Amino acid sequence: AQSVTQLDSQVPVFEEAPVELRCNYSSSVSVYLFWYVQYPNQGLQLLLKYLSGSTLVKSINGFEAEFNKSQTSFHLRKPSVHISDTAEYFCAVSGSNTGKLIFGQGTTLQVKP
Amino acid sequence: DTGVSQNPRHKITKRGQNVTFRCDPISEHNRLYWYRQTLGQGPEFLTYFQNEAQLEKSRLLSDRFSAERPKGSFSTLEIQRTEQGDSAMYLCASSFGTGLPEAFFGQGTRLTVV
């Protein structure tokens, strides 16, 4: 069975400060890893993904995540956050042929001015 | 293509009534998924289709829930005899499948059972 643990339920941070949202997973098989972002009353938007290859993946809006197989982690980072980054962030793992996603509980990123 | 479309966006129903939600996936995608998300939680998998075949159902999907995907295009999720515990956001996602596993989500249908 697979599971995902997001270690922080809420992360408050000031605008232009760096941030890290932590994600650990467990799986007995090779996995694909994803970060999704959700704004209030909206669906989920794919932020970035690790499928294979380079362990450091980047999004177009400055987020990056690093796949660490030995530590079973996929932490999300951004060097300088904006007010508009305020949202709920979900880490997810997919390891089956079905593409079914297992999500963490989510981390609320609150960016303060 | 404008992405995954879900209708309605909001539904308020009385306990005991039946409700049906619709999902239109991205047209080239052959896989379609339903998830349920309650307040403060991550989405939970309900069921998945490969084309028109329903290949997996979660234990969360009680006998009151049924999903279909006729002709492998749009999908419907029906809940019979709704209960207050069914109140949640119901999310639909689609993907190409093997080789391109990333799923794209719709805006969701928020169900409130009163």
Side-chain angles (χ1 to χ4, degrees), chain B:
Chain B
D1 197 332
T2 55
V4 179
S5 177
Q6 291 189 247
N7 287 288
R9 291 290 309 277
H10 304 274
K11 179 71 177 178
I12 300 174
T13 191
K14 292 183 179 179
R15 189 176 50 168
Q17 297 293 305
N18 298 343
V19 294
T20 300
F21 311 139
R22 176 178 171 124
C23 171
D24 288 271
I26 294 171
S27 57
E28 304 86 10
H29 287 182
N30 55 29
R31 288 186 175 180
L32 186 148
Y33 306 84
W34 286 99
Y35 292 84
R36 181 171 69 188
Q37 184 181 24
T38 53
L39 204 59
Q41 302 295 316
E44 295 174 296
F45 170 79
L46 292 178
T47 189
Y48 124 84
F49 292 84
Q50 173 95 18
N51 299 313
E52 68 275 9
Q54 187 174 21
L55 298 185
E56 185 173 344
K57 293 194 291 186
S58 164
R59 290 171 297 172
L60 294 175
L61 215 62
S62 75
D63 292 344
R64 297 184 297 105
F65 288 70
S66 63
E68 294 182 342
R69 193 183 182 196
K71 303 179 183 178
S73 56
F74 71 92
S75 175
T76 58
L77 178 67
E78 181 183 16
I79 309 175
Q80 296 182 327
R81 305 181 303 281
T82 52
E83 303 173 355
Q84 287 191 321
D86 297 331
S87 295
M89 175 81 91
Y90 290 83
L91 295 164
C92 176
S94 69
S95 74
F96 279 109
T98 304
L100 289 171
E102 54 263 48
F104 295 89
F105 282 78
Q107 301 281 57
T109 294
R110 181 166 296 283
L111 173 67
T112 302
V113 182
V114 297

Side-chain angles (χ1 to χ4, degrees), chain A residues 54-112:
Chain A
S54 173
T55 57
L56 182 65
V57 292
K58 299 184 179 184
S59 74
I60 59 173
N61 58 352
F63 283 95
E64 63 180 38
E66 186 158 20
F67 170 55
N68 188 319
K69 187 174 182 179
S70 62
Q71 296 188 4
T72 60
S73 67
F74 191 54
H75 301 329
L76 181 69
R77 302 182 182 95
K78 188 171 185 179
S80 176
V81 294
H82 302 289
I83 294 287
S84 59
D85 293 324
T86 295
E88 188 83 10
Y89 291 80
F90 292 96
C91 181
V93 63
S94 171
S96 67
N97 292 331
T98 67
K100 175 176 70 177
L101 292 167
I102 305 299
F103 286 89
Q105 297 282 70
T107 297
T108 302
L109 176 61
Q110 301 167 317
V111 181
K112 303 176 181 180

Side-chain angles (χ1 to χ4, degrees), chain A residues 6-13 19-22 35-38 40 85-90 105-112, chain B residues 39-41:
Chain A
Q6 292 184 242
L7 298 163
D8 307 291
S9 59
Q10 294 189 357
V11 174
V13 63
V19 70
E20 178 180 76
L21 306 184
R22 296 179 293 168
W35 277 99
Y36 283 87
V37 58
Q38 186 176 37
D85 293 324
T86 295
E88 188 83 10
Y89 291 80
F90 292 96
Q105 297 282 70
T107 297
T108 302
L109 176 61
Q110 301 167 317
V111 181
K112 303 176 181 180
Chain B
L39 204 59
Q41 302 295 316

